[in-house]
Amino acid sequence: MPRCFWCTDDPLYIAYHDEEWGVPQHDPQWLFEMLLLEGFQAGLSWITVLKKRARYREVLFGFDAERLARMTDDEIEERMQDPGIIRNRLKLQAARRNAQAWLKLEDPVTLLWSFVGGRPKINHFSGRGDVPAVTPEAEAMSRALKKLGFTFVGPTICYAYMQAAGMVMDHTLDCERHSALSTN
């Protein structure tokens, strides 16, 4: 099956590409998890995060925002010793802070989807050079989330998040998933 340029032959990457990336998501739990994972990815490759995703679910309380919001500094220090995750204190502190900010949102799903007018934006990019790293919508999302107390939500992270959550469909034209997701 033809896939996007970024999808390597790693089975984990293939499954993520084929089953998850670009599929419109409205489940608040999935959206919260992915927002944190995108923050952990900052400066690293996405496959690094995918390989650590299961362990993150274990050490971050299944991405339960209420429990994560109460994570203590001692618990952060414990996680800093865990080789199964990305051991970055600022990113772990951001996960706690983002959980606290998430819990203050009245309707996180509607808020997040509002940056694309509530419906997926279907793009028709030919290849790698056409796919932007940032868009005005991602910049607006970043500004809004920062005002609400979120961290590790810069415009590039927000655009990657929008792609992952299917808010924008950026499978390229030569990818089989483009036609499958363009009709939804």
Side-chain angles (χ1 to χ4, degrees), residues 23-24 29 38 46 67 69 81 87 89 91 111 115 181:
V23 176
Q29 181 65 35
E38 290 290 353
W46 184 243
R67 177 57 184 95
Q81 307 310 311
R87 294 179 285 184
R89 186 172 283 102
K91 290 178 181 182
L111 170 72
F115 297 99
L181 291 170

Side-chain angles (χ1 to χ4, degrees), residues 25-35 102 109 161 165:
Q25 299 288 340
H26 293 88
D27 173 48
Q29 181 65 35
W30 188 96
L31 290 168
F32 176 66
E33 175 180 336
M34 194 57 61
L35 185 64
W102 182 268
V109 176
Y161 178 67

Side-chain angles (χ1 to χ4, degrees), residues 20-21 30 51 77 79 96 99 106 141 164:
E20 207 169 350
W21 193 75
W30 188 96
K51 289 179 178 180
E77 288 309 312
R79 279 136 187 88
R96 177 177 58 192
E106 186 173 318
M141 178 187 276

Side-chain angles (χ1 to χ4, degrees), residues 127-149:
R128 173 188 308 246
D130 298 333
V131 183
V134 174
T135 63
E137 295 88 352
E139 290 173 342
M141 178 187 276
S142 174
R143 281 191 304 275
L145 291 178
K146 286 177 182 178
K147 279 186 182 179
L148 292 167

Side-chain angles (χ1 to χ4, degrees), residues 4 6 15 24 27-28 46 57 84 96-97 113 119 137-138 152 160:
C4 293
W6 55 264
D27 173 48
W46 184 243
R57 285 179 176 151
R96 177 177 58 192
R97 181 173 177 156
W113 276 88
R119 301 188 62 203
E137 295 88 352
F152 279 90

Side-chain angles (χ1 to χ4, degrees), residues 18-115:
D18 293 358
E19 299 165 18
E20 207 169 350
W21 193 75
V23 176
Q25 299 288 340
H26 293 88
D27 173 48
Q29 181 65 35
W30 188 96
L31 290 168
F32 176 66
E33 175 180 336
M34 194 57 61
L35 185 64
L36 296 189
L37 290 175
E38 290 290 353
F40 281 113
Q41 185 266 332
L44 303 168
S45 67
W46 184 243
I47 192 66
T48 301
V49 174
L50 281 180
K51 289 179 178 180
K52 296 178 181 290
R53 188 179 193 181
R55 185 65 183 146
Y56 271 118
R57 285 179 176 151
E58 291 173 17
V59 303
L60 296 182
F61 316 106
F63 291 98
D64 175 352
E66 289 188 18
R67 177 57 184 95
L68 193 51
R70 296 189 317 269
M71 186 166 61
T72 67
D73 288 342
D74 287 343
E75 288 172 321
I76 288 175
E77 288 309 312
E78 287 174 22
R79 279 136 187 88
M80 286 295 296
Q81 307 310 311
D82 190 327
I85 66 168
I86 297 159
R87 294 179 285 184
N88 180 302
R89 186 172 283 102
L90 291 177
K91 290 178 181 182
L92 287 166
Q93 290 169 337
R96 177 177 58 192
R97 181 173 177 156
N98 289 350
Q100 294 164 349
W102 182 268
L103 292 172
K104 292 177 185 173
L105 299 177
E106 186 173 318
D107 184 356
V109 176
T110 299
L111 170 72
L112 294 166
W113 276 88
S114 71
F115 297 99

